[in-house]
Amino acid sequence: MEKSHIIEDIKNGKTALGIEFGSTRIKAVLVGSDNTPIASGAHDWENQLKDHIWTYSLDAIWNGLQDCYQKMAEDVKAQYGVVLTEVGALGFSAMMHGYMAFNKENELLVPFRTWRNTITEEASKKLTEVFQYNIPQRWSIAHLYQAILNKEEHVSDVAYFTTLAGYVHWKLTGQQVLGVGEASGMFPIDIATGDFDQKMVGQFNDLVAGEGFSWKLGDIMPKVLNAGDSAGTLTEEGAKLLDPTGSLKAGIPLCPPEGDAGTGMVATKSVAQRTGNVSAGTSVFAMAVLEDNLKKVHPEIDMVTTPDGSLVAMVHCNNCTSDLNAWVNLFKEFAESFGVEVDMTKLFSVLYNKALEGDDDCGGLLAYNYFSGEHITGFEEGRPLFVRTPDSKFNLANFMRVHLFTALGALKTGLDILLKEEDVQLDELMGHGGLFKTKGVGQKVMAAAVNVPVSVMETAGEGGAWGIALLASYMVNKAEGESLSHYLDEKVFAGQESVTLQPEAKDVAGFDVFIKRYSEGLPIERAAVDSLK
């Protein structure tokens, strides 16, 4: 789109803004009337381990949001000479799950418990048994029930609980709502109604009836909305909270807040059946939009939904690139010790491509990237680990290859259940996230891990912030009765190019050898967790 048209879009409010709270970055993406990004801003942040709980403070949430928004607004001013005062539609998304509980005075009762915590095993197992539906440890309902089992005093005072995306949306609009995709990471969804499963809500109330709480579960959860539904408008208070400079006007319509899984599906056009996507960054998760229900309950497989309510099987792993990035930073430090100025983009490219020169099975090397616990392999805590035998082929190529392979080790463990045991059919996986930034490398490794063609679009780097901007755009620009899938096909991705890599037989065989070593070596990781306190 020409610059003059972009300026007209900005002045006339024909834009949509998406802001996503990722694990390490808050990102804002502004799109024009053709749904392509025209400005962006970002704020880096990190979770904190406090009293054995992974958390972000309320100050970190709001300071990060304001800084991210301000940088995007500055980008608009720098590129187009326009002060941003309004946008056509707005949406927020965030890393899914977790627990934010508030009393009737709207005060946060305990620090935000993020998805990264693996502290709800007892609750997860009990709820899975009661519901006959897999309830992962990071789901909001597992956190609530674990707090009840722990006899935590705050539970009796809960008037509302939600996710990070739901919290931010509530504070900016006054609306206690969630998009169905995000809601499906709080509590199971009934696909037929598009709402929380009322039978299971009743089962939960029966389960805690003896506790004497004044609340019922349905009273303290958000209202569930579908993609395209109106989710309120930006209030005067919300506008000042988002933009303390006062430039942004109130009254902007908001779409339902979504989770990063849903925005990833939208950003990769993976909302139709037999499509799937994989998001690989700090954490990694793969989504497969199903044709039918799975044959049985698997604790390794989460059942969630697309933002428009289709059933999705999800394999979610807590760890992906954190350890890989730590090793790359070590090489950066090494180079700088010799006075060499390091370009990080080039360093990642060189090291990632070096991995393609390694042995198919990584030369017998083994690594675990567990910064935190990993439920799929049964770990409540993690210890990053590299190990080899004296006769392993220890060189840089194999070293980088094993760290790329192990970034997908837990994911491979879960996907094998979905693709081999359940015989789920996928025509292709769309890749997005940091692992795919170095052209071709992460994509090739992913194809080897899952033995499915992996495609990456040129917009893959925009990620979930672009995805939630598209959901905001869909809400205000869709034709009557137009489905989300049709809108994405015709008004977003039409004519957009993607690069597809087919799995190579030798790479698939090499990954299978590696994953056998990975599975057999898990007692080494267990010893590290038990021995290094």
PDB file of all heavy atoms in Angstrom, residues 383-416:
ATOM      1  N   ARG A 383      16.366 -28.631  34.672  1.00  0.00           N
ATOM      2  CA  ARG A 383      17.783 -28.295  34.763  1.00  0.00           C
ATOM      3  C   ARG A 383      18.362 -28.402  33.350  1.00  0.00           C
ATOM      4  O   ARG A 383      18.471 -29.512  32.815  1.00  0.00           O
ATOM      5  CB  ARG A 383      18.538 -29.265  35.690  1.00  0.00           C
ATOM      6  CG  ARG A 383      18.034 -29.326  37.114  1.00  0.00           C
ATOM      7  CD  ARG A 383      18.343 -28.052  37.906  1.00  0.00           C
ATOM      8  NE  ARG A 383      17.910 -28.197  39.297  1.00  0.00           N
ATOM      9  CZ  ARG A 383      16.709 -27.884  39.744  1.00  0.00           C
ATOM     10  NH1 ARG A 383      15.783 -27.408  38.903  1.00  0.00           N
ATOM     11  NH2 ARG A 383      16.394 -28.027  41.016  1.00  0.00           N
ATOM     12  N   PRO A 384      18.722 -27.284  32.716  1.00  0.00           N
ATOM     13  CA  PRO A 384      19.340 -27.373  31.394  1.00  0.00           C
ATOM     14  C   PRO A 384      20.583 -28.261  31.473  1.00  0.00           C
ATOM     15  O   PRO A 384      21.371 -28.156  32.421  1.00  0.00           O
ATOM     16  CB  PRO A 384      19.706 -25.926  31.075  1.00  0.00           C
ATOM     17  CG  PRO A 384      18.785 -25.111  31.917  1.00  0.00           C
ATOM     18  CD  PRO A 384      18.588 -25.893  33.179  1.00  0.00           C
ATOM     19  N   LEU A 385      20.746 -29.124  30.476  1.00  0.00           N
ATOM     20  CA  LEU A 385      21.739 -30.191  30.604  1.00  0.00           C
ATOM     21  C   LEU A 385      22.312 -30.545  29.235  1.00  0.00           C
ATOM     22  O   LEU A 385      21.586 -30.641  28.248  1.00  0.00           O
ATOM     23  CB  LEU A 385      21.041 -31.419  31.206  1.00  0.00           C
ATOM     24  CG  LEU A 385      21.863 -32.613  31.652  1.00  0.00           C
ATOM     25  CD1 LEU A 385      22.761 -32.238  32.831  1.00  0.00           C
ATOM     26  CD2 LEU A 385      20.915 -33.741  32.078  1.00  0.00           C
ATOM     27  N   PHE A 386      23.630 -30.733  29.193  1.00  0.00           N
ATOM     28  CA  PHE A 386      24.285 -31.267  28.000  1.00  0.00           C
ATOM     29  C   PHE A 386      25.166 -32.428  28.433  1.00  0.00           C
ATOM     30  O   PHE A 386      25.929 -32.307  29.395  1.00  0.00           O
ATOM     31  CB  PHE A 386      25.124 -30.182  27.313  1.00  0.00           C
ATOM     32  CG  PHE A 386      26.000 -30.716  26.211  1.00  0.00           C
ATOM     33  CD1 PHE A 386      25.443 -31.181  25.030  1.00  0.00           C
ATOM     34  CD2 PHE A 386      27.383 -30.778  26.361  1.00  0.00           C
ATOM     35  CE1 PHE A 386      26.246 -31.697  24.017  1.00  0.00           C
ATOM     36  CE2 PHE A 386      28.187 -31.287  25.356  1.00  0.00           C
ATOM     37  CZ  PHE A 386      27.618 -31.743  24.176  1.00  0.00           C
ATOM     38  N   VAL A 387      25.073 -33.552  27.714  1.00  0.00           N
ATOM     39  CA  VAL A 387      25.822 -34.742  28.128  1.00  0.00           C
ATOM     40  C   VAL A 387      26.276 -35.516  26.885  1.00  0.00           C
ATOM     41  O   VAL A 387      25.607 -35.486  25.842  1.00  0.00           O
ATOM     42  CB  VAL A 387      24.965 -35.628  29.070  1.00  0.00           C
ATOM     43  CG1 VAL A 387      23.748 -36.185  28.365  1.00  0.00           C
ATOM     44  CG2 VAL A 387      25.786 -36.739  29.707  1.00  0.00           C
ATOM     45  N   ARG A 388      27.419 -36.185  26.999  1.00  0.00           N
ATOM     46  CA  ARG A 388      27.936 -36.973  25.890  1.00  0.00           C
ATOM     47  C   ARG A 388      28.783 -38.118  26.420  1.00  0.00           C
ATOM     48  O   ARG A 388      29.223 -38.095  27.573  1.00  0.00           O
ATOM     49  CB  ARG A 388      28.782 -36.105  24.955  1.00  0.00           C
ATOM     50  CG  ARG A 388      30.015 -35.484  25.612  1.00  0.00           C
ATOM     51  CD  ARG A 388      30.638 -34.412  24.727  1.00  0.00           C
ATOM     52  NE  ARG A 388      31.720 -33.694  25.396  1.00  0.00           N
ATOM     53  CZ  ARG A 388      33.009 -33.919  25.186  1.00  0.00           C
ATOM     54  NH1 ARG A 388      33.395 -34.862  24.336  1.00  0.00           N
ATOM     55  NH2 ARG A 388      33.918 -33.213  25.815  1.00  0.00           N
ATOM     56  N   THR A 389      28.968 -39.096  25.598  1.00  0.00           N
ATOM     57  CA  THR A 389      29.880 -40.190  25.932  1.00  0.00           C
ATOM     58  C   THR A 389      31.266 -39.841  25.391  1.00  0.00           C
ATOM     59  O   THR A 389      31.398 -38.967  24.521  1.00  0.00           O
ATOM     60  CB  THR A 389      29.409 -41.516  25.301  1.00  0.00           C
ATOM     61  OG1 THR A 389      29.371 -41.359  23.876  1.00  0.00           O
ATOM     62  CG2 THR A 389      28.007 -41.884  25.803  1.00  0.00           C
ATOM     63  N   PRO A 390      32.314 -40.516  25.881  1.00  0.00           N
ATOM     64  CA  PRO A 390      33.670 -40.196  25.393  1.00  0.00           C
ATOM     65  C   PRO A 390      33.831 -40.373  23.888  1.00  0.00           C
ATOM     66  O   PRO A 390      34.649 -39.681  23.267  1.00  0.00           O
ATOM     67  CB  PRO A 390      34.556 -41.185  26.158  1.00  0.00           C
ATOM     68  CG  PRO A 390      33.796 -41.488  27.402  1.00  0.00           C
ATOM     69  CD  PRO A 390      32.352 -41.473  27.002  1.00  0.00           C
ATOM     70  N   ASP A 391      33.040 -41.255  23.280  1.00  0.00           N
ATOM     71  CA  ASP A 391      33.192 -41.487  21.846  1.00  0.00           C
ATOM     72  C   ASP A 391      32.138 -40.783  20.998  1.00  0.00           C
ATOM     73  O   ASP A 391      32.030 -41.041  19.801  1.00  0.00           O
ATOM     74  CB  ASP A 391      33.201 -42.999  21.551  1.00  0.00           C
ATOM     75  CG  ASP A 391      31.905 -43.688  21.982  1.00  0.00           C
ATOM     76  OD1 ASP A 391      31.111 -43.055  22.715  1.00  0.00           O
ATOM     77  OD2 ASP A 391      31.694 -44.854  21.595  1.00  0.00           O
ATOM     78  N   SER A 392      31.345 -39.905  21.604  1.00  0.00           N
ATOM     79  CA  SER A 392      30.403 -39.103  20.809  1.00  0.00           C
ATOM     80  C   SER A 392      31.180 -38.181  19.866  1.00  0.00           C
ATOM     81  O   SER A 392      32.316 -37.795  20.159  1.00  0.00           O
ATOM     82  CB  SER A 392      29.524 -38.249  21.721  1.00  0.00           C
ATOM     83  OG  SER A 392      28.729 -39.037  22.564  1.00  0.00           O
ATOM     84  N   LYS A 393      30.575 -37.828  18.758  1.00  0.00           N
ATOM     85  CA  LYS A 393      31.225 -36.938  17.787  1.00  0.00           C
ATOM     86  C   LYS A 393      30.963 -35.490  18.201  1.00  0.00           C
ATOM     87  O   LYS A 393      29.986 -34.867  17.776  1.00  0.00           O
ATOM     88  CB  LYS A 393      30.702 -37.223  16.385  1.00  0.00           C
ATOM     89  CG  LYS A 393      31.066 -38.619  15.878  1.00  0.00           C
ATOM     90  CD  LYS A 393      30.505 -38.853  14.487  1.00  0.00           C
ATOM     91  CE  LYS A 393      30.779 -40.269  14.022  1.00  0.00           C
ATOM     92  NZ  LYS A 393      30.136 -40.553  12.705  1.00  0.00           N
ATOM     93  N   PHE A 394      31.865 -34.991  19.031  1.00  0.00           N
ATOM     94  CA  PHE A 394      31.682 -33.676  19.646  1.00  0.00           C
ATOM     95  C   PHE A 394      32.340 -32.609  18.785  1.00  0.00           C
ATOM     96  O   PHE A 394      33.551 -32.419  18.804  1.00  0.00           O
ATOM     97  CB  PHE A 394      32.275 -33.689  21.050  1.00  0.00           C
ATOM     98  CG  PHE A 394      32.060 -32.410  21.820  1.00  0.00           C
ATOM     99  CD1 PHE A 394      30.847 -31.733  21.776  1.00  0.00           C
ATOM    100  CD2 PHE A 394      33.075 -31.869  22.599  1.00  0.00           C
ATOM    101  CE1 PHE A 394      30.647 -30.558  22.485  1.00  0.00           C
ATOM    102  CE2 PHE A 394      32.886 -30.698  23.332  1.00  0.00           C
ATOM    103  CZ  PHE A 394      31.674 -30.040  23.262  1.00  0.00           C
ATOM    104  N   ASN A 395      31.521 -31.924  17.975  1.00  0.00           N
ATOM    105  CA  ASN A 395      31.993 -30.791  17.179  1.00  0.00           C
ATOM    106  C   ASN A 395      30.896 -29.740  17.156  1.00  0.00           C
ATOM    107  O   ASN A 395      29.787 -29.960  17.655  1.00  0.00           O
ATOM    108  CB  ASN A 395      32.388 -31.239  15.765  1.00  0.00           C
ATOM    109  CG  ASN A 395      31.265 -31.979  15.041  1.00  0.00           C
ATOM    110  OD1 ASN A 395      30.096 -31.596  15.141  1.00  0.00           O
ATOM    111  ND2 ASN A 395      31.609 -33.043  14.323  1.00  0.00           N
ATOM    112  N   LEU A 396      31.199 -28.588  16.597  1.00  0.00           N
ATOM    113  CA  LEU A 396      30.249 -27.468  16.641  1.00  0.00           C
ATOM    114  C   LEU A 396      28.954 -27.806  15.904  1.00  0.00           C
ATOM    115  O   LEU A 396      27.855 -27.463  16.372  1.00  0.00           O
ATOM    116  CB  LEU A 396      30.889 -26.211  16.052  1.00  0.00           C
ATOM    117  CG  LEU A 396      30.017 -24.943  16.065  1.00  0.00           C
ATOM    118  CD1 LEU A 396      29.603 -24.580  17.495  1.00  0.00           C
ATOM    119  CD2 LEU A 396      30.758 -23.776  15.408  1.00  0.00           C
ATOM    120  N   ALA A 397      29.061 -28.463  14.758  1.00  0.00           N
ATOM    121  CA  ALA A 397      27.864 -28.788  13.977  1.00  0.00           C
ATOM    122  C   ALA A 397      26.918 -29.683  14.773  1.00  0.00           C
ATOM    123  O   ALA A 397      25.703 -29.419  14.849  1.00  0.00           O
ATOM    124  CB  ALA A 397      28.259 -29.466  12.665  1.00  0.00           C
ATOM    125  N   ASN A 398      27.444 -30.742  15.369  1.00  0.00           N
ATOM    126  CA  ASN A 398      26.595 -31.642  16.165  1.00  0.00           C
ATOM    127  C   ASN A 398      26.087 -30.960  17.430  1.00  0.00           C
ATOM    128  O   ASN A 398      24.961 -31.215  17.874  1.00  0.00           O
ATOM    129  CB  ASN A 398      27.365 -32.918  16.521  1.00  0.00           C
ATOM    130  CG  ASN A 398      27.438 -33.898  15.361  1.00  0.00           C
ATOM    131  OD1 ASN A 398      26.572 -33.881  14.483  1.00  0.00           O
ATOM    132  ND2 ASN A 398      28.457 -34.730  15.349  1.00  0.00           N
ATOM    133  N   PHE A 399      26.932 -30.088  18.005  1.00  0.00           N
ATOM    134  CA  PHE A 399      26.525 -29.368  19.221  1.00  0.00           C
ATOM    135  C   PHE A 399      25.312 -28.483  18.940  1.00  0.00           C
ATOM    136  O   PHE A 399      24.335 -28.475  19.697  1.00  0.00           O
ATOM    137  CB  PHE A 399      27.695 -28.522  19.732  1.00  0.00           C
ATOM    138  CG  PHE A 399      27.413 -27.815  21.030  1.00  0.00           C
ATOM    139  CD1 PHE A 399      27.499 -28.479  22.247  1.00  0.00           C
ATOM    140  CD2 PHE A 399      27.056 -26.472  21.036  1.00  0.00           C
ATOM    141  CE1 PHE A 399      27.240 -27.819  23.444  1.00  0.00           C
ATOM    142  CE2 PHE A 399      26.791 -25.807  22.224  1.00  0.00           C
ATOM    143  CZ  PHE A 399      26.884 -26.491  23.432  1.00  0.00           C
ATOM    144  N   MET A 400      25.349 -27.743  17.844  1.00  0.00           N
ATOM    145  CA  MET A 400      24.216 -26.892  17.496  1.00  0.00           C
ATOM    146  C   MET A 400      23.014 -27.736  17.074  1.00  0.00           C
ATOM    147  O   MET A 400      21.865 -27.414  17.404  1.00  0.00           O
ATOM    148  CB  MET A 400      24.595 -25.919  16.373  1.00  0.00           C
ATOM    149  CG  MET A 400      25.566 -24.829  16.799  1.00  0.00           C
ATOM    150  SD  MET A 400      25.031 -23.918  18.280  1.00  0.00           S
ATOM    151  CE  MET A 400      23.446 -23.289  17.753  1.00  0.00           C
ATOM    152  N   ARG A 401      23.269 -28.827  16.369  1.00  0.00           N
ATOM    153  CA  ARG A 401      22.176 -29.680  15.908  1.00  0.00           C
ATOM    154  C   ARG A 401      21.425 -30.299  17.080  1.00  0.00           C
ATOM    155  O   ARG A 401      20.189 -30.331  17.104  1.00  0.00           O
ATOM    156  CB  ARG A 401      22.725 -30.779  14.993  1.00  0.00           C
ATOM    157  CG  ARG A 401      21.650 -31.585  14.249  1.00  0.00           C
ATOM    158  CD  ARG A 401      22.296 -32.550  13.265  1.00  0.00           C
ATOM    159  NE  ARG A 401      21.339 -33.314  12.499  1.00  0.00           N
ATOM    160  CZ  ARG A 401      20.813 -32.937  11.338  1.00  0.00           C
ATOM    161  NH1 ARG A 401      21.160 -31.768  10.808  1.00  0.00           N
ATOM    162  NH2 ARG A 401      19.942 -33.711  10.700  1.00  0.00           N
ATOM    163  N   VAL A 402      22.155 -30.765  18.100  1.00  0.00           N
ATOM    164  CA  VAL A 402      21.480 -31.405  19.233  1.00  0.00           C
ATOM    165  C   VAL A 402      20.657 -30.395  20.015  1.00  0.00           C
ATOM    166  O   VAL A 402      19.599 -30.725  20.554  1.00  0.00           O
ATOM    167  CB  VAL A 402      22.482 -32.146  20.143  1.00  0.00           C
ATOM    168  CG1 VAL A 402      23.241 -31.196  21.081  1.00  0.00           C
ATOM    169  CG2 VAL A 402      21.752 -33.202  20.984  1.00  0.00           C
ATOM    170  N   HIS A 403      21.103 -29.137  20.060  1.00  0.00           N
ATOM    171  CA  HIS A 403      20.310 -28.131  20.781  1.00  0.00           C
ATOM    172  C   HIS A 403      19.077 -27.700  19.985  1.00  0.00           C
ATOM    173  O   HIS A 403      18.049 -27.345  20.582  1.00  0.00           O
ATOM    174  CB  HIS A 403      21.185 -26.940  21.179  1.00  0.00           C
ATOM    175  CG  HIS A 403      22.025 -27.228  22.394  1.00  0.00           C
ATOM    176  ND1 HIS A 403      23.310 -27.714  22.307  1.00  0.00           N
ATOM    177  CD2 HIS A 403      21.730 -27.181  23.713  1.00  0.00           C
ATOM    178  CE1 HIS A 403      23.781 -27.916  23.519  1.00  0.00           C
ATOM    179  NE2 HIS A 403      22.841 -27.605  24.398  1.00  0.00           N
ATOM    180  N   LEU A 404      19.157 -27.750  18.664  1.00  0.00           N
ATOM    181  CA  LEU A 404      17.951 -27.538  17.856  1.00  0.00           C
ATOM    182  C   LEU A 404      16.998 -28.727  17.986  1.00  0.00           C
ATOM    183  O   LEU A 404      15.782 -28.555  18.115  1.00  0.00           O
ATOM    184  CB  LEU A 404      18.330 -27.328  16.391  1.00  0.00           C
ATOM    185  CG  LEU A 404      18.840 -25.932  16.031  1.00  0.00           C
ATOM    186  CD1 LEU A 404      19.549 -25.943  14.685  1.00  0.00           C
ATOM    187  CD2 LEU A 404      17.697 -24.926  16.015  1.00  0.00           C
ATOM    188  N   PHE A 405      17.544 -29.948  17.968  1.00  0.00           N
ATOM    189  CA  PHE A 405      16.705 -31.142  18.109  1.00  0.00           C
ATOM    190  C   PHE A 405      16.011 -31.165  19.466  1.00  0.00           C
ATOM    191  O   PHE A 405      14.807 -31.426  19.561  1.00  0.00           O
ATOM    192  CB  PHE A 405      17.555 -32.410  17.927  1.00  0.00           C
ATOM    193  CG  PHE A 405      17.699 -32.869  16.502  1.00  0.00           C
ATOM    194  CD1 PHE A 405      17.719 -31.962  15.452  1.00  0.00           C
ATOM    195  CD2 PHE A 405      17.840 -34.211  16.197  1.00  0.00           C
ATOM    196  CE1 PHE A 405      17.850 -32.376  14.130  1.00  0.00           C
ATOM    197  CE2 PHE A 405      17.974 -34.650  14.879  1.00  0.00           C
ATOM    198  CZ  PHE A 405      17.985 -33.730  13.849  1.00  0.00           C
ATOM    199  N   THR A 406      16.769 -30.899  20.543  1.00  0.00           N
ATOM    200  CA  THR A 406      16.175 -31.028  21.875  1.00  0.00           C
ATOM    201  C   THR A 406      15.155 -29.928  22.144  1.00  0.00           C
ATOM    202  O   THR A 406      14.261 -30.100  22.974  1.00  0.00           O
ATOM    203  CB  THR A 406      17.259 -31.045  22.964  1.00  0.00           C
ATOM    204  OG1 THR A 406      16.721 -31.650  24.160  1.00  0.00           O
ATOM    205  CG2 THR A 406      17.770 -29.649  23.291  1.00  0.00           C
ATOM    206  N   ALA A 407      15.258 -28.803  21.395  1.00  0.00           N
ATOM    207  CA  ALA A 407      14.233 -27.754  21.515  1.00  0.00           C
ATOM    208  C   ALA A 407      12.863 -28.292  21.132  1.00  0.00           C
ATOM    209  O   ALA A 407      11.830 -27.779  21.567  1.00  0.00           O
ATOM    210  CB  ALA A 407      14.598 -26.557  20.647  1.00  0.00           C
ATOM    211  N   LEU A 408      12.851 -29.373  20.330  1.00  0.00           N
ATOM    212  CA  LEU A 408      11.595 -29.980  19.879  1.00  0.00           C
ATOM    213  C   LEU A 408      11.389 -31.378  20.470  1.00  0.00           C
ATOM    214  O   LEU A 408      10.459 -32.087  20.073  1.00  0.00           O
ATOM    215  CB  LEU A 408      11.578 -30.073  18.350  1.00  0.00           C
ATOM    216  CG  LEU A 408      11.802 -28.750  17.607  1.00  0.00           C
ATOM    217  CD1 LEU A 408      11.829 -28.984  16.102  1.00  0.00           C
ATOM    218  CD2 LEU A 408      10.722 -27.738  17.972  1.00  0.00           C
ATOM    219  N   GLY A 409      12.231 -31.773  21.426  1.00  0.00           N
ATOM    220  CA  GLY A 409      12.167 -33.127  21.962  1.00  0.00           C
ATOM    221  C   GLY A 409      10.860 -33.443  22.668  1.00  0.00           C
ATOM    222  O   GLY A 409      10.218 -34.476  22.390  1.00  0.00           O
ATOM    223  N   ALA A 410      10.436 -32.567  23.565  1.00  0.00           N
ATOM    224  CA  ALA A 410       9.184 -32.804  24.286  1.00  0.00           C
ATOM    225  C   ALA A 410       7.992 -32.703  23.328  1.00  0.00           C
ATOM    226  O   ALA A 410       7.027 -33.471  23.433  1.00  0.00           O
ATOM    227  CB  ALA A 410       9.036 -31.814  25.435  1.00  0.00           C
ATOM    228  N   LEU A 411       8.063 -31.768  22.388  1.00  0.00           N
ATOM    229  CA  LEU A 411       6.988 -31.623  21.401  1.00  0.00           C
ATOM    230  C   LEU A 411       6.844 -32.902  20.572  1.00  0.00           C
ATOM    231  O   LEU A 411       5.728 -33.372  20.330  1.00  0.00           O
ATOM    232  CB  LEU A 411       7.282 -30.442  20.475  1.00  0.00           C
ATOM    233  CG  LEU A 411       6.198 -30.146  19.437  1.00  0.00           C
ATOM    234  CD1 LEU A 411       5.006 -29.460  20.086  1.00  0.00           C
ATOM    235  CD2 LEU A 411       6.749 -29.279  18.310  1.00  0.00           C
ATOM    236  N   LYS A 412       7.965 -33.455  20.137  1.00  0.00           N
ATOM    237  CA  LYS A 412       7.953 -34.698  19.365  1.00  0.00           C
ATOM    238  C   LYS A 412       7.294 -35.818  20.165  1.00  0.00           C
ATOM    239  O   LYS A 412       6.494 -36.603  19.631  1.00  0.00           O
ATOM    240  CB  LYS A 412       9.394 -35.065  18.999  1.00  0.00           C
ATOM    241  CG  LYS A 412       9.633 -36.491  18.527  1.00  0.00           C
ATOM    242  CD  LYS A 412       9.168 -36.719  17.122  1.00  0.00           C
ATOM    243  CE  LYS A 412       9.665 -38.071  16.599  1.00  0.00           C
ATOM    244  NZ  LYS A 412       9.082 -38.413  15.287  1.00  0.00           N
ATOM    245  N   THR A 413       7.592 -35.881  21.462  1.00  0.00           N
ATOM    246  CA  THR A 413       7.013 -36.909  22.326  1.00  0.00           C
ATOM    247  C   THR A 413       5.493 -36.832  22.316  1.00  0.00           C
ATOM    248  O   THR A 413       4.790 -37.843  22.221  1.00  0.00           O
ATOM    249  CB  THR A 413       7.546 -36.757  23.769  1.00  0.00           C
ATOM    250  OG1 THR A 413       8.982 -36.799  23.737  1.00  0.00           O
ATOM    251  CG2 THR A 413       7.031 -37.855  24.674  1.00  0.00           C
ATOM    252  N   GLY A 414       4.957 -35.597  22.405  1.00  0.00           N
ATOM    253  CA  GLY A 414       3.504 -35.418  22.409  1.00  0.00           C
ATOM    254  C   GLY A 414       2.876 -35.617  21.043  1.00  0.00           C
ATOM    255  O   GLY A 414       1.820 -36.240  20.914  1.00  0.00           O
ATOM    256  N   LEU A 415       3.536 -35.120  19.997  1.00  0.00           N
ATOM    257  CA  LEU A 415       2.963 -35.223  18.652  1.00  0.00           C
ATOM    258  C   LEU A 415       2.927 -36.665  18.148  1.00  0.00           C
ATOM    259  O   LEU A 415       2.053 -37.022  17.358  1.00  0.00           O
ATOM    260  CB  LEU A 415       3.742 -34.348  17.673  1.00  0.00           C
ATOM    261  CG  LEU A 415       3.362 -32.863  17.654  1.00  0.00           C
ATOM    262  CD1 LEU A 415       4.266 -32.089  16.710  1.00  0.00           C
ATOM    263  CD2 LEU A 415       1.902 -32.659  17.271  1.00  0.00           C
ATOM    264  N   ASP A 416       3.866 -37.481  18.610  1.00  0.00           N
ATOM    265  CA  ASP A 416       3.831 -38.894  18.214  1.00  0.00           C
ATOM    266  C   ASP A 416       2.533 -39.562  18.670  1.00  0.00           C
ATOM    267  O   ASP A 416       1.996 -40.434  17.982  1.00  0.00           O
ATOM    268  CB  ASP A 416       5.041 -39.638  18.780  1.00  0.00           C
ATOM    269  CG  ASP A 416       6.283 -39.474  17.907  1.00  0.00           C
ATOM    270  OD1 ASP A 416       6.163 -38.883  16.817  1.00  0.00           O
ATOM    271  OD2 ASP A 416       7.365 -39.941  18.310  1.00  0.00           O
TER     272      ASP A 416
END
